[in-house]
Structures are given as C-alpha cells and as structure tokens.
Amino acid sequence: MTTWQMEYFRSPSKRFRPRMRWWLPGAFMENEEIKREIEWMAEAGYGGAEIIHFFQIPNVEVKPSDYGRYGFGGPEWNDRMKAALEAAIPLNFQLDFTIGPLWPIATPAIMDKNDERCAQGLHVGTIIVTGSYSGEIPVPATIDPERNYKLTAVTAARQVEGGETVGNLKTLELETAVDLTHKTRGKRIEWTAPDSGKWCLFGFWSQTNGQMNDSIGAPVIDHYSKASADAVTGFWEEHLFADPYIQSLYEKNAGNLFCDSIELNATMQGGMYGATPMAVAIWSPSVLEEFRARRGYDLTPFLPAIFVKGLYQLGAGNRTDGNSEYDFAEREANGRIRNDFFTTLTELFRDNHLRTLRLWANGHNMKLRYQTYGMTTELTSGLAEVDIPETESLGFRDSTDGYRLQSGAVHLYEREIYSIEVGAVMGYGYKQTWTGHDFGLLWQLHRGFSAGVNQAVLHGMSYETASASGHFEAMFKWPGMSLMGSMFSNEWGTRQPTSRHARALTDYIARSQYVLQQGKPKVDLAIYRHHIDGIHEGMGTELTPYELAGYTYDFISPCLLETPSAKVGEFNGQPALAADGPAYRAIIVDMRKNTVSGDWMSSDLPVETAERLIALASEGLPIVLVGNIPCRVVSYPGSIADLKIQESRLQERIAVLLDRRTVRLVPDQAHVFEALAQLNVVPAVQFRSGLPLLSARRNQIGCQYYFLYNPSCDETYDGEVLLEGRGVPVRLNAWDGSANPIAANLFPLGRAGVKLRLAPNESALFAILEEWPEGDGLESPKPSGTGKHVVMDCWSLEVEGWSPGDQPTSTKLEHIEVELDELRSWTELPELRSVSGIGRYRTELRLEAHGGNRNSVILDLGEVSDTFRVFVNGRGIQGANQIGRRIQIGEYIQFEGVNTLEIEVATTLNNALMASDPNRKPQECGLMGPVTIYYNI
C-alpha cells in the first residue's frame, strides 16, 4: 500500500462512494431543485445517483392539457435530464439511468398489450379422451377471453392405469407423448387415440400476460426477445438521444444503464405480488424453435412437464423441485425436462436481452448494471453479459449465501464491481436506522461486504416535490411526497434528522468500498451448485457451517467451471483454481436442500462437469464430495434410454474422480473440515475466540487486504485473529481514514496474529504490507474496559424537535430542554416520547493528572440511536466509530481542569410521525449509555 494509496483511502474519490437510488415524479420537477438535490448528495458523500422515472406526479403549475409533454422521453423529461447531467458532471457525480420508467421494463415504443413483443405466458387446457375426439381444442380458464390468444401446440399422452395423482391429473406415460399440432384446423382437432386407454389431450395457448408498467401505462416487454430489447434501445436513440448535445452529456457522464429485479408474472389473472398460484408458464414465441436448436430434441410432446403451479408468478412459490400439474410417471425425466426449459430461457434472456442492452450501452460509453434474478433462470450464466452484477438485501433477505449465488460469477467473469441495492425493508419507512441491529443499513451492508459485495446503492431518496395535484394531493403530507419510502424504507435525504450526519457514514462506506475494490478477490472455497432458484430464493441469515469454520466461499456452477480463468494454477505455493483471480483452494461438491421437502439431496451434475472435475483433480486441486454421490445428470437427452446411459456414464466418471489423490468423500458437512485439513486447505482468516467472524479478502501486489466483521447482534469479539500474509500488519480505520501498523505475533506458514476487539455488528479493515512507508510506529493498545473509569449520569439535554410546518415539505423546529440524572431513551421521557430530531447532551467532568499515553483515554458511549457527533471542550472529533462507539479523546482532554463533553444525537423521523400514523410504534432513540471514560490503563 503506497503513500498515494493511503491518501486515496483517507479521501476516497467519487467512484468508491455509495450511490443513491433517486425516485423522480416524472418530468414534473424544477431544474434548480434538481441541481440542489444533486449538490446535497455530493456534499453528503455520495458518489452518484440512480435516476428512476417513478410515477408522474403533476404539480399545480402545470395545466392538464400539457401533461403529455412530461412523459418519459418527452421534451420536458429530456430538459430535466439535461439539467441533471449539467449539474452532476462538473461535480464528478455520476448518474445512472433505468432503462425505462419504473419497473418491470417497458417502453413507450410498445403501448399495445397484445403486441407480440410483450411478456407472455403459456396456458394449458386439458380434456380426457377415450377413442376418437372431434371438437374444440381445450382452452383453460387462465386465458383472458377478452384479449388475443394464440394456439401454440396440441399434444396428447396416455394416463397410467391405476397411476398416482400428481398435481391436476394422474401421471402420464412418457413414451406415449405425441405432438398433434399438425392435425389442428383452426381451433378444432380430429384425432383418434391409438388404443383404448384414457388419454389426456392438451391445448397450449400463448397470450401476452397483461402486465403493465404503471408509470407510463405501457405493457412489460418480453425479456427473451431481441425485438423487444431493440424496441427499448430504439426509443432511446429516437427520443432520449434525439438532441446530439443531450446525447453527448449522457456519454460524457459515463454512467450505467440500470435494470431492476425481473418482476414478471406469466399471467396477471392471479394478481401481481403474492399471486394466486396458477398453472401458467413464462413464454416467448421462439421458445420451441430455440429449444430444439439448443437442446437437440423437441420440447413440444413434453410441454406438460413445465407447468409447476405458481412457479412463474411473483411470491406464489419458488418450488423448482415441485411437480408439474401434469407430470409424467417417469419421474427422473420431469425435472430434467424442466431444467432444459429453464436453461433455454436463461440463454434467450442472456443472448437476446442482456447482450443487446449491454452492447448498446457500451456503444454509448455506459455500462450495464442489472439485477438478473426473479425468473426461473440460472443466475451465473446470464451474468456473462452484465458489466456490473447487482444483488439486493430485500429479495435475498440479508442472506450471505443468497449474495453468493452471484459472487462466483462476479469473480470468475472478472467483474470489478458487485453492487447491492441495500435498505429496502417492508414497513420501515422513516424508521430504518444506520447503525441498529434491527435491519440497520450498516448491518445489512456488512453482510453483503462479507459475501463479496463492494458497492452500495441506497434505497433511496425521493425528489422534493413542491406541490401535487389531482389524486396525489391527498397523499402529499409532511415530511413530503415519499414515492416509496412510506412502504419500503427509507428516505435517506434531507427530510430526516440523521441526514445531518450522513457524511460520516458515507465516508466510512467509501473507505470500506475502496479496500474491497482493490486488486483481486481471494476466496478459500468454491462450492459447486447447480439449481434454478425461481424467484430470488433467500437462504436465511444464520451462519453456515463453512462460515462458522472461518472459510470464505463462492457458489460456482457448470458454466463457471468452463470459463477461461477456471484452470489450476498456483497461489501462495498451493494449487488454486483461477489462481490470478479468486484462487479457490478447493472445490466442494455439496448437497442442497429440496425446495419442497427441505430434505438434503445430491447435486445434479452434468457428465461434462464431472470430466472437468477429474481434470482439475488430476492437476492437484483438492475436491471434497459431501453426502450422497451425485448420480443425476442435469439435462434430458431426449429419451429414457439415453438418460440411463448418461447417468451410468456420470457414475463411472464419479468413480474415476474419487480415485484421484486429492479427492475425498465425506458423509456430511460436519466432516468436510477434517478432509480439508488433511488436504492442507485452511482458511486465510482464523479466529481464536469462541465467536466466529465473517471476512473478505483482496490481494494486490505487495499487499493483502482483509475485511473482518462480527455478525453477532449481542456479543463482542475479543481475541486474536490470524491473517495469511507476510509483512507488516496495518489497521485501516474506515471511520477516520487513519492507517497504523500494529503489533503482531508471527506464526508459521506466513500468518500474522493480531489482537482484535469488535463490538456487535462492527467491522475492521487490515492490510498486510511487504513494506510500510510511514515509519515504524505501532498503534497504541486500547483499554479493555478495566482500570480507572468515570461514568457520567447527569446531563443537560437540548432537543431540536422536528414537526410538521405550514407546508408538506416544511419542518417546524421546536426547542425543548430537559435535565437528566439518568440516561434513558426519549420514549421514556414524557417531554420527548413522540419527538424526533437532534439532541445535544452536555456535561462537565474532571480527570486526575495523567502520565500515561493520551491515546489510552477512551470515551465509551454505550447505547446510542441513531447517529452521533462528539465534541470535547468545543472541538469536534472527526471519524467517531458509529458502531463500536469507543472513541479516543486523550488529545482533546485537559487534566486538572474542567472538561465539557457534548454528544449530538440524530434520530429517525418515526416518533414524530406517530401523531399522523397510528400504526407506528415508539422507537427507542437518543443517548442511552452508560457513558464511560476509561483512562490510566
């Protein structure tokens, strides 16, 4: 870490700073207000904003007859974007733009919801036939008869006599499945079954799903169609880039084209979110043709197998291991047919949609940032066509394993940035804190950092609408029009008291992100995983066995093992997969849980992947197989006979793999770590305390960087941590930007043991440098909470209370004074129970003469909510740790005299909003302590 790198760490540039999701009311804005809000975000320490054309909210100055000018891509919108770009570019404040208004993706270029370029579903109607049938092809009730629908295929299959009922029907005989589409005449068919059994006749109908983008009243596009993606980019070319000067601003800004999570439903008949489960599949007109070309067999006879009820609807079920409503009796075939269907959708999404958008964006000096989850697709393959992959805290439920569904692709595709939309929590509008354990933003972000994330986009901030007309006027209340924050937290702009302290938090995030974007990631393990997760499957927040053992890991898939970088090299004297990148020390072929039963099951494994594992093991890479040996291939080869041949080949290749010297088979995850120890695969970070830590590592020539995090919400980590690396250990303080070498115990195999104390939810940054450019001074030890100390109970509290002003966007400030002989939450003080705002606590103290190191005088604030500043004798302390809340104050203290101590605390707006929202509950806030000064240690 050079001197200039340390300077960049102290004052990170805009590129390393967190970004803000910025919700805009269409073009109903003022250029001066746009400029003011951009300047505030830049001053508050944000590096950029993601612009979203939310709902159009007319203001009272605009006549209804003029509303048409204010739409997305219209003259007023383009003028506002010009103003935004002209304000942002001189500040080096980068603007990102959603590909269309709001979400899911829609474009004014397609306004007819019956257009074939709209998102579609495949519906299935059935009728039981014995002997001959002449009549109408069955149409299901899921079809909207008032809109266009199209016959896609007609098939039949014989029911198993005496067979079990799965889903909607008795199981079907796979070998009898037949395509009858060629026998249709319009909407009728004449057909005679080949024997006397009971046959199920299927009619498959495609229909646009009727899903609308509410921002502009346009239908959602087909995400598998190149024509649909071309319509989106074509609208940009013809309307947003119609003015060459505005186009030049977009290109000079060099921001990202952004797409949110894919919130598609195969049908809207069951509703949008938490939909009534229906047997309708996501569809696109080219699926059958593309499936045949890509998979090598015809899907048409097997279409009944894809209809897992609710699977293709948001919130209706993620059961990709579930049965179809019309399953075949040969159960081993059904899941593989569905896998082939999902794989085809994945490839169409990647090749037609993502690639089209990325190439267009790159052609205009922009990158594509995309949340590619939300459909039944395989996540890692699609990320090959995304410049900046993004995850989210909401959809993945703050699960580190959920974030790892993409981290392996980020690392093996060598993407520099792995972004996260952080801060959307249902029901936490104006309640979410920066520092708390109850979905605090840093609690969420630290979990992401631990799993490979290195860029935060806060959700979010609304434009300060000055007025609203029409039905929006009734929603226009103090503290202003919250376009999303009243439901999904949070409003992180100036309307909350904590905004006064934003810079301290954004500086901390920026310094953390600076470290996490240096060099290349280094990850201990690659865990093989092939599974279609459906609609972003969360995995829980409890620590996994691998995390408890101290290992870092990514999930990798068959396609990732085929990337050019996935070859065996050497890192730190040991074999490593992708040695110049993540340098995985071993591959774990683990079990996974069935999404329906919850039972552990072996991973599906293509024969080609087994061959790849044999090749890697032959080059010395350790591989551990867990639980049942993989015996199921991923794909269906077109017939049961060929499937049995494939699975026989897989078992033979697994036997060959197990015969390799560096391969182990263990019964369960608990035995993995003994096998890894035998193979000399140990974590890069080892903790010597009963409490586990999470970590992330970056490698740069001459330097190893470590991010360490205590995920506990109530226990402090206090012990030694062993870090892999040779050189000088340096503690990097992300709160104040300092970098100090520290004393360390040296261990064999190039490991440094450092003492570490981390409060619940606290993180730490370390670097191990080959050379230290700033001298030999060591960081002074901090007190452990013993020795001389003073507890301060009596305080004078002055509160600046925030309450509604004369207008919805104006805030009245009320002055309240309280004398305290004990620190308590404002909710326990009658004068402050329903008050939000800024509190300033003042007290005086004397300390005895002090002959020791001034750095050992520590102020411990105890409990605080939410953010704070500290002043000692009128001097503000920069970079106070908002999580650990233990602050060195020795250089500010005068001994043998009176010292004044002031703590300024900012709250959320929750308690002040209780008066207008009876559903809100009091939220503890203020300085709750105990406040203690430790010294003479």
mmCIF file of all heavy atoms in Angstrom, residues 716-750:
data_model
loop_
_atom_site.group_PDB
_atom_site.id
_atom_site.type_symbol
_atom_site.label_atom_id
_atom_site.label_comp_id
_atom_site.label_asym_id
_atom_site.label_seq_id
_atom_site.Cartn_x
_atom_site.Cartn_y
_atom_site.Cartn_z
ATOM 1 N N THR A 716 -19.603 -9.374 21.878
ATOM 2 C CA THR A 716 -18.394 -8.721 21.421
ATOM 3 C C THR A 716 -17.313 -9.753 21.153
ATOM 4 O O THR A 716 -17.110 -10.667 21.952
ATOM 5 C CB THR A 716 -17.896 -7.706 22.467
ATOM 6 O OG1 THR A 716 -18.863 -6.656 22.596
ATOM 7 C CG2 THR A 716 -16.559 -7.105 22.075
ATOM 8 N N TYR A 717 -16.634 -9.622 20.021
ATOM 9 C CA TYR A 717 -15.475 -10.467 19.740
ATOM 10 C C TYR A 717 -14.261 -9.832 20.399
ATOM 11 O O TYR A 717 -13.965 -8.650 20.184
ATOM 12 C CB TYR A 717 -15.241 -10.591 18.234
ATOM 13 C CG TYR A 717 -14.057 -11.477 17.891
ATOM 14 C CD1 TYR A 717 -14.251 -12.815 17.586
ATOM 15 C CD2 TYR A 717 -12.762 -10.987 17.895
ATOM 16 C CE1 TYR A 717 -13.176 -13.644 17.293
ATOM 17 C CE2 TYR A 717 -11.673 -11.805 17.605
ATOM 18 C CZ TYR A 717 -11.890 -13.129 17.301
ATOM 19 O OH TYR A 717 -10.826 -13.954 17.027
ATOM 20 N N ASP A 718 -13.548 -10.602 21.181
ATOM 21 C CA ASP A 718 -12.342 -10.097 21.841
ATOM 22 C C ASP A 718 -11.327 -11.229 21.857
ATOM 23 O O ASP A 718 -11.413 -12.140 22.673
ATOM 24 C CB ASP A 718 -12.654 -9.626 23.259
ATOM 25 C CG ASP A 718 -11.582 -8.688 23.812
ATOM 26 O OD1 ASP A 718 -10.492 -8.631 23.199
ATOM 27 O OD2 ASP A 718 -11.829 -8.022 24.818
ATOM 28 N N GLY A 719 -10.388 -11.214 20.938
ATOM 29 C CA GLY A 719 -9.424 -12.297 20.840
ATOM 30 C C GLY A 719 -8.413 -12.030 19.755
ATOM 31 O O GLY A 719 -8.262 -10.904 19.268
ATOM 32 N N GLU A 720 -7.728 -13.084 19.356
ATOM 33 C CA GLU A 720 -6.696 -12.976 18.333
ATOM 34 C C GLU A 720 -7.237 -13.480 17.002
ATOM 35 O O GLU A 720 -8.028 -14.414 16.949
ATOM 36 C CB GLU A 720 -5.465 -13.793 18.736
ATOM 37 C CG GLU A 720 -4.261 -13.559 17.853
ATOM 38 C CD GLU A 720 -3.024 -14.281 18.362
ATOM 39 O OE1 GLU A 720 -3.156 -15.424 18.829
ATOM 40 O OE2 GLU A 720 -1.924 -13.702 18.280
ATOM 41 N N VAL A 721 -6.790 -12.843 15.926
ATOM 42 C CA VAL A 721 -7.141 -13.264 14.571
ATOM 43 C C VAL A 721 -5.853 -13.514 13.804
ATOM 44 O O VAL A 721 -4.932 -12.682 13.826
ATOM 45 C CB VAL A 721 -7.973 -12.182 13.847
ATOM 46 C CG1 VAL A 721 -8.291 -12.621 12.432
ATOM 47 C CG2 VAL A 721 -9.258 -11.912 14.607
ATOM 48 N N LEU A 722 -5.764 -14.659 13.126
ATOM 49 C CA LEU A 722 -4.605 -14.991 12.311
ATOM 50 C C LEU A 722 -4.919 -14.685 10.853
ATOM 51 O O LEU A 722 -5.888 -15.213 10.298
ATOM 52 C CB LEU A 722 -4.237 -16.474 12.464
ATOM 53 C CG LEU A 722 -3.296 -16.839 13.609
ATOM 54 C CD1 LEU A 722 -3.899 -16.473 14.952
ATOM 55 C CD2 LEU A 722 -2.965 -18.328 13.582
ATOM 56 N N LEU A 723 -4.087 -13.839 10.259
ATOM 57 C CA LEU A 723 -4.283 -13.403 8.882
ATOM 58 C C LEU A 723 -3.144 -13.932 8.019
ATOM 59 O O LEU A 723 -1.965 -13.787 8.379
ATOM 60 C CB LEU A 723 -4.318 -11.882 8.799
ATOM 61 C CG LEU A 723 -5.339 -11.157 9.683
ATOM 62 C CD1 LEU A 723 -5.169 -9.652 9.548
ATOM 63 C CD2 LEU A 723 -6.747 -11.580 9.323
ATOM 64 N N GLU A 724 -3.478 -14.520 6.891
ATOM 65 C CA GLU A 724 -2.463 -15.016 5.975
ATOM 66 C C GLU A 724 -1.770 -13.858 5.282
ATOM 67 O O GLU A 724 -2.410 -12.953 4.757
ATOM 68 C CB GLU A 724 -3.102 -15.937 4.938
ATOM 69 C CG GLU A 724 -2.111 -16.617 4.023
ATOM 70 C CD GLU A 724 -2.801 -17.551 3.056
ATOM 71 O OE1 GLU A 724 -3.073 -18.704 3.442
ATOM 72 O OE2 GLU A 724 -3.087 -17.122 1.913
ATOM 73 N N GLY A 725 -0.436 -13.893 5.271
ATOM 74 C CA GLY A 725 0.320 -12.838 4.607
ATOM 75 C C GLY A 725 1.618 -12.563 5.328
ATOM 76 O O GLY A 725 1.710 -12.704 6.556
ATOM 77 N N ARG A 726 2.623 -12.171 4.582
ATOM 78 C CA ARG A 726 3.933 -11.856 5.146
ATOM 79 C C ARG A 726 4.181 -10.361 5.019
ATOM 80 O O ARG A 726 4.023 -9.791 3.945
ATOM 81 C CB ARG A 726 5.026 -12.628 4.407
ATOM 82 C CG ARG A 726 4.879 -14.139 4.491
ATOM 83 C CD ARG A 726 5.987 -14.845 3.728
ATOM 84 N NE ARG A 726 5.787 -16.279 3.685
ATOM 85 C CZ ARG A 726 6.162 -17.136 4.625
ATOM 86 N NH1 ARG A 726 6.773 -16.670 5.710
ATOM 87 N NH2 ARG A 726 5.936 -18.431 4.496
ATOM 88 N N GLY A 727 4.565 -9.754 6.135
ATOM 89 C CA GLY A 727 4.852 -8.334 6.105
ATOM 90 C C GLY A 727 4.375 -7.640 7.355
ATOM 91 O O GLY A 727 4.229 -8.252 8.426
ATOM 92 N N VAL A 728 4.085 -6.356 7.211
ATOM 93 C CA VAL A 728 3.697 -5.512 8.343
ATOM 94 C C VAL A 728 2.170 -5.426 8.407
ATOM 95 O O VAL A 728 1.537 -4.938 7.468
ATOM 96 C CB VAL A 728 4.287 -4.094 8.186
ATOM 97 C CG1 VAL A 728 3.876 -3.217 9.374
ATOM 98 C CG2 VAL A 728 5.796 -4.152 8.043
ATOM 99 N N PRO A 729 1.529 -5.892 9.501
ATOM 100 C CA PRO A 729 0.072 -5.713 9.636
ATOM 101 C C PRO A 729 -0.267 -4.251 9.937
ATOM 102 O O PRO A 729 0.348 -3.630 10.800
ATOM 103 C CB PRO A 729 -0.298 -6.617 10.813
ATOM 104 C CG PRO A 729 0.903 -7.480 11.054
ATOM 105 C CD PRO A 729 2.076 -6.691 10.597
ATOM 106 N N VAL A 730 -1.238 -3.729 9.218
ATOM 107 C CA VAL A 730 -1.656 -2.335 9.383
ATOM 108 C C VAL A 730 -3.159 -2.298 9.595
ATOM 109 O O VAL A 730 -3.922 -2.940 8.851
ATOM 110 C CB VAL A 730 -1.280 -1.494 8.143
ATOM 111 C CG1 VAL A 730 -1.807 -0.068 8.276
ATOM 112 C CG2 VAL A 730 0.228 -1.495 7.934
ATOM 113 N N ARG A 731 -3.589 -1.586 10.620
ATOM 114 C CA ARG A 731 -5.023 -1.409 10.876
ATOM 115 C C ARG A 731 -5.494 -0.177 10.104
ATOM 116 O O ARG A 731 -4.966 0.924 10.274
ATOM 117 C CB ARG A 731 -5.275 -1.227 12.378
ATOM 118 C CG ARG A 731 -6.731 -0.984 12.770
ATOM 119 C CD ARG A 731 -7.549 -2.241 12.724
ATOM 120 N NE ARG A 731 -8.922 -2.015 13.136
ATOM 121 C CZ ARG A 731 -9.413 -2.288 14.354
ATOM 122 N NH1 ARG A 731 -8.613 -2.785 15.292
ATOM 123 N NH2 ARG A 731 -10.679 -2.091 14.631
ATOM 124 N N LEU A 732 -6.468 -0.379 9.228
ATOM 125 C CA LEU A 732 -7.057 0.712 8.454
ATOM 126 C C LEU A 732 -8.376 1.104 9.097
ATOM 127 O O LEU A 732 -9.279 0.271 9.191
ATOM 128 C CB LEU A 732 -7.286 0.279 7.005
ATOM 129 C CG LEU A 732 -6.072 -0.264 6.239
ATOM 130 C CD1 LEU A 732 -6.492 -0.779 4.877
ATOM 131 C CD2 LEU A 732 -5.009 0.806 6.095
ATOM 132 N N ASN A 733 -8.481 2.339 9.523
ATOM 133 C CA ASN A 733 -9.682 2.797 10.208
ATOM 134 C C ASN A 733 -10.616 3.467 9.199
ATOM 135 O O ASN A 733 -10.356 4.573 8.724
ATOM 136 C CB ASN A 733 -9.309 3.780 11.320
ATOM 137 C CG ASN A 733 -10.487 4.135 12.205
ATOM 138 O OD1 ASN A 733 -11.635 4.205 11.746
ATOM 139 N ND2 ASN A 733 -10.217 4.345 13.475
ATOM 140 N N ALA A 734 -11.691 2.762 8.850
ATOM 141 C CA ALA A 734 -12.607 3.282 7.841
ATOM 142 C C ALA A 734 -13.412 4.470 8.354
ATOM 143 O O ALA A 734 -14.019 5.186 7.553
ATOM 144 C CB ALA A 734 -13.549 2.180 7.366
ATOM 145 N N TRP A 735 -13.435 4.694 9.650
ATOM 146 C CA TRP A 735 -14.202 5.815 10.192
ATOM 147 C C TRP A 735 -13.437 7.131 10.079
ATOM 148 O O TRP A 735 -14.018 8.157 9.719
ATOM 149 C CB TRP A 735 -14.571 5.549 11.654
ATOM 150 C CG TRP A 735 -15.593 4.473 11.806
ATOM 151 C CD1 TRP A 735 -15.398 3.201 12.266
ATOM 152 C CD2 TRP A 735 -16.977 4.552 11.464
ATOM 153 N NE1 TRP A 735 -16.560 2.484 12.225
ATOM 154 C CE2 TRP A 735 -17.558 3.288 11.744
ATOM 155 C CE3 TRP A 735 -17.788 5.557 10.949
ATOM 156 C CZ2 TRP A 735 -18.907 3.016 11.522
ATOM 157 C CZ3 TRP A 735 -19.142 5.289 10.738
ATOM 158 C CH2 TRP A 735 -19.686 4.037 11.018
ATOM 159 N N ASP A 736 -12.132 7.110 10.364
ATOM 160 C CA ASP A 736 -11.395 8.378 10.319
ATOM 161 C C ASP A 736 -10.315 8.419 9.247
ATOM 162 O O ASP A 736 -9.641 9.435 9.071
ATOM 163 C CB ASP A 736 -10.778 8.695 11.700
ATOM 164 C CG ASP A 736 -9.723 7.690 12.146
ATOM 165 O OD1 ASP A 736 -9.247 6.883 11.319
ATOM 166 O OD2 ASP A 736 -9.362 7.708 13.338
ATOM 167 N N GLY A 737 -10.110 7.314 8.522
ATOM 168 C CA GLY A 737 -9.152 7.317 7.430
ATOM 169 C C GLY A 737 -7.715 7.097 7.834
ATOM 170 O O GLY A 737 -6.814 7.195 6.992
ATOM 171 N N SER A 738 -7.472 6.779 9.096
ATOM 172 C CA SER A 738 -6.095 6.576 9.535
ATOM 173 C C SER A 738 -5.618 5.172 9.206
ATOM 174 O O SER A 738 -6.411 4.253 8.996
ATOM 175 C CB SER A 738 -5.981 6.816 11.048
ATOM 176 O OG SER A 738 -6.782 5.882 11.759
ATOM 177 N N ALA A 739 -4.290 5.014 9.141
ATOM 178 C CA ALA A 739 -3.665 3.714 8.892
ATOM 179 C C ALA A 739 -2.473 3.597 9.820
ATOM 180 O O ALA A 739 -1.556 4.427 9.781
ATOM 181 C CB ALA A 739 -3.240 3.598 7.437
ATOM 182 N N ASN A 740 -2.470 2.566 10.677
ATOM 183 C CA ASN A 740 -1.419 2.428 11.676
ATOM 184 C C ASN A 740 -0.922 0.999 11.744
ATOM 185 O O ASN A 740 -1.730 0.051 11.823
ATOM 186 C CB ASN A 740 -1.949 2.823 13.064
ATOM 187 C CG ASN A 740 -2.334 4.284 13.139
ATOM 188 O OD1 ASN A 740 -1.482 5.157 13.052
ATOM 189 N ND2 ASN A 740 -3.621 4.549 13.277
ATOM 190 N N PRO A 741 0.396 0.803 11.706
ATOM 191 C CA PRO A 741 0.926 -0.547 11.908
ATOM 192 C C PRO A 741 0.637 -1.009 13.325
ATOM 193 O O PRO A 741 0.558 -0.192 14.248
ATOM 194 C CB PRO A 741 2.428 -0.371 11.665
ATOM 195 C CG PRO A 741 2.694 1.063 11.962
ATOM 196 C CD PRO A 741 1.452 1.812 11.574
ATOM 197 N N ILE A 742 0.487 -2.295 13.512
ATOM 198 C CA ILE A 742 0.132 -2.828 14.829
ATOM 199 C C ILE A 742 1.054 -3.977 15.188
ATOM 200 O O ILE A 742 1.634 -4.643 14.315
ATOM 201 C CB ILE A 742 -1.342 -3.309 14.861
ATOM 202 C CG1 ILE A 742 -1.592 -4.332 13.752
ATOM 203 C CG2 ILE A 742 -2.303 -2.152 14.739
ATOM 204 C CD1 ILE A 742 -2.972 -4.926 13.776
ATOM 205 N N ALA A 743 1.169 -4.203 16.472
ATOM 206 C CA ALA A 743 1.966 -5.326 16.954
ATOM 207 C C ALA A 743 1.277 -6.625 16.562
ATOM 208 O O ALA A 743 0.056 -6.722 16.571
ATOM 209 C CB ALA A 743 2.119 -5.241 18.463
ATOM 210 N N ALA A 744 2.079 -7.634 16.201
ATOM 211 C CA ALA A 744 1.506 -8.907 15.768
ATOM 212 C C ALA A 744 2.406 -10.047 16.196
ATOM 213 O O ALA A 744 3.632 -9.900 16.290
ATOM 214 C CB ALA A 744 1.323 -8.919 14.250
ATOM 215 N N ASN A 745 1.805 -11.190 16.466
ATOM 216 C CA ASN A 745 2.532 -12.427 16.684
ATOM 217 C C ASN A 745 2.701 -13.113 15.339
ATOM 218 O O ASN A 745 1.736 -13.245 14.572
ATOM 219 C CB ASN A 745 1.772 -13.345 17.641
ATOM 220 C CG ASN A 745 1.623 -12.733 19.018
ATOM 221 O OD1 ASN A 745 2.563 -12.157 19.549
ATOM 222 N ND2 ASN A 745 0.431 -12.839 19.596
ATOM 223 N N LEU A 746 3.905 -13.556 15.021
ATOM 224 C CA LEU A 746 4.167 -14.218 13.756
ATOM 225 C C LEU A 746 4.065 -15.723 13.920
ATOM 226 O O LEU A 746 4.604 -16.294 14.870
ATOM 227 C CB LEU A 746 5.558 -13.829 13.229
ATOM 228 C CG LEU A 746 5.755 -12.327 12.980
ATOM 229 C CD1 LEU A 746 7.138 -12.068 12.401
ATOM 230 C CD2 LEU A 746 4.685 -11.783 12.038
ATOM 231 N N PHE A 747 3.341 -16.358 13.009
ATOM 232 C CA PHE A 747 3.101 -17.797 13.057
ATOM 233 C C PHE A 747 3.675 -18.447 11.802
ATOM 234 O O PHE A 747 3.934 -17.776 10.800
ATOM 235 C CB PHE A 747 1.605 -18.078 13.163
ATOM 236 C CG PHE A 747 1.015 -17.716 14.500
ATOM 237 C CD1 PHE A 747 0.622 -16.416 14.771
ATOM 238 C CD2 PHE A 747 0.869 -18.673 15.497
ATOM 239 C CE1 PHE A 747 0.089 -16.074 16.001
ATOM 240 C CE2 PHE A 747 0.333 -18.349 16.717
ATOM 241 C CZ PHE A 747 -0.058 -17.045 16.981
ATOM 242 N N PRO A 748 3.865 -19.773 11.840
ATOM 243 C CA PRO A 748 4.370 -20.463 10.652
ATOM 244 C C PRO A 748 3.426 -20.281 9.466
ATOM 245 O O PRO A 748 2.270 -19.897 9.606
ATOM 246 C CB PRO A 748 4.421 -21.937 11.108
ATOM 247 C CG PRO A 748 4.482 -21.889 12.586
ATOM 248 C CD PRO A 748 3.719 -20.677 12.993
ATOM 249 N N LEU A 749 3.940 -20.572 8.292
ATOM 250 C CA LEU A 749 3.190 -20.513 7.035
ATOM 251 C C LEU A 749 2.753 -19.099 6.700
ATOM 252 O O LEU A 749 1.753 -18.877 6.022
ATOM 253 C CB LEU A 749 1.973 -21.446 7.074
ATOM 254 C CG LEU A 749 2.277 -22.927 7.364
ATOM 255 C CD1 LEU A 749 0.992 -23.719 7.457
ATOM 256 C CD2 LEU A 749 3.202 -23.505 6.306
ATOM 257 N N GLY A 750 3.507 -18.119 7.196
ATOM 258 C CA GLY A 750 3.248 -16.742 6.807
ATOM 259 C C GLY A 750 1.936 -16.201 7.335
ATOM 260 O O GLY A 750 1.135 -15.665 6.564
#
